Amino acid sequence: MPTPGHGGPAGADDAGVPVEPGDAGVPAEPDDTWGSDGADDAGVPAFWGRLGLPGLADVHVHFLPPRLLRRVWAYFDSAGPLVGTEWPIRYRWSDADRVAHLRRLGVRAFSALAYAHRPGMAAELNRWTLDFARATPDCLPSATFFPEPEAERYVADAVTAGARVFKVHVQVGDFPPTDPALDRVWGLLADARVPVVVHAGHAPVGTEHTGPEPFAALLARHPTLTAIVAHLGAPDYRAFLDLAEAYERVRLDTTMAFTPFFDRFVPFPADELPRLRELGLAGKVLLGSDFPNIPYPYAEQLAGLARLDLGDDWLRAVCWESAADLFGLD
């Protein structure tokens, strides 16, 4: 449930090496074949059109500098023993092809979630993702941080530069969200009301820093933080639903949940669907996909949400209205 990119806005990778379109070895044209549940990307515009929406808003999309993108894709290529299944990335395309595909689907707003996994890389990632957003008007300016002495400075710089969403991956970064080096960073973002997408759950592989307890400890320190819990907090859905109910500014994203792929490992408890519906109608559940790092068509995410039969009002809130309210989308 990591990230991507190709040929960044400046035409160079994160080491400054020039790149050309197609450098990542991607096909020139998308392949909209039927998914395992019959969901076809070609049908996505009809999905949101039937709901009377202007399009989709996806808060969990990844774009990364090309060298880091190649490393992420290599991780997924070899992830079988770690996660217990093959993970063939479906949208192994260039940045330009992926942006074009999102636009064809009607995704009118999406993030470029990068995340630092070691010291000394977040500031450079932020320069890349913010440049990417400047060159891609439908992309929410995105940024990241890591527990290090410089974090407060470069986070403040990113907010000043227009960052509208941050991403933190405590699992991959292997740090506690309550690390003292981040205390002022969380406070800065809480005061600025800038949302942070936090991969706080144990899935796919837990660490001592993942799960509801470390995240709850963070919220106890910063109760006004605007946080979006990735993957509904899988597999600890109940505990993260509790946190979304308890904290006014805590939300959840649907990333990968309710797809046949994800349901094999961490199915959502059916008895919690009424609570998920109430939270969705309250603006607390947002569409996320993990595009492009998914092993199935984008449409399967939407088909999974529709299969829940929680009503068109719920789908409208999740797929557009709640993100439009949070990010001020037209």
Side-chain angles (χ1 to χ4, degrees), residues 5 40 45-46 56 80 117 165 167 177 297 302:
D40 183 347
L56 303 171
H117 62 271
V165 62
K167 169 67 185 284
L302 303 175

Side-chain angles (χ1 to χ4, degrees), residues 207-284:
T207 74
E208 62 180 309
H209 306 309
T210 57
E213 292 83 5
F215 188 67
L218 170 65
L219 293 174
R221 293 187 187 184
H222 300 280
T224 62
L225 180 68
T226 303
I228 302 170
V229 178
H231 307 280
L232 296 175
D236 295 296
Y237 297 110
R238 299 181 199 275
F240 281 101
L241 291 174
D242 291 342
L243 291 171
E245 288 179 336
Y247 289 91
E248 179 184 357
R249 298 189 194 171
V250 172
R251 295 164 173 82
L252 311 165
D253 81 33
T254 66
T255 302
M256 299 189 77
F258 313 112
T259 64
F261 180 83
F262 211 59
D263 281 349
R264 284 186 291 159
F265 309 104
V266 281
F268 188 87
D271 63 313
E272 290 287 11
L273 287 175
R275 196 152 59 126
L276 184 70
R277 182 177 186 276
E278 291 305 310
L279 284 168
L281 293 174
K284 294 264 191 161

Side-chain angles (χ1 to χ4, degrees), residues 33-200:
T33 52
W34 287 90
S36 61
D37 68 349
D40 183 347
D41 279 1
V44 168
F47 167 83
W48 54 260
R50 182 188 66 80
L51 294 170
L53 296 176
L56 303 171
D58 188 339
V59 302
H60 199 131
V61 171
H62 295 290
F63 285 91
L64 276 180
R67 185 172 67 180
L68 190 52
L69 169 65
R70 290 191 289 269
R71 290 175 180 172
V72 168
W73 284 351
Y75 165 84
F76 281 113
D77 287 343
S78 61
L82 180 64
V83 300
T85 189
E86 295 300 311
W87 195 307
I89 293 172
R90 183 173 183 86
Y91 299 99
R92 199 184 292 254
W93 306 340
S94 70
D95 277 358
D97 285 338
R98 283 181 279 127
V99 169
H101 191 61
L102 289 171
R103 289 172 176 165
R104 278 191 296 271
L105 299 182
V107 181
R108 292 188 52 204
F110 54 89
S111 55
L113 299 185
Y115 45 87
H117 62 271
R118 58 174 171 75
M121 68 183 297
E124 286 299 319
L125 279 176
N126 293 348
R127 276 189 276 274
W128 193 94
T129 50
L130 291 172
D131 282 348
F132 180 85
R134 279 188 280 271
T136 314
D138 28 7
C139 179
L140 296 167
S142 309
T144 188
F145 52 89
F146 191 84
E148 53 192 335
E150 305 82 8
E152 184 182 6
R153 174 184 52 77
Y154 63 67
V155 167
D157 288 345
V159 171
T160 299
R164 299 177 66 190
V165 62
F166 281 74
K167 169 67 185 284
V168 172
H169 204 312
V170 298
Q171 179 193 68
V172 173
D174 194 26
F175 61 84
T178 52
D179 189 302
L182 293 180
D183 196 54
R184 291 174 65 88
V185 171
W186 293 119
L188 186 161
L189 293 173
D191 290 345
R193 297 199 174 200
V194 176
V196 187
V197 176
V198 185
H199 187 126

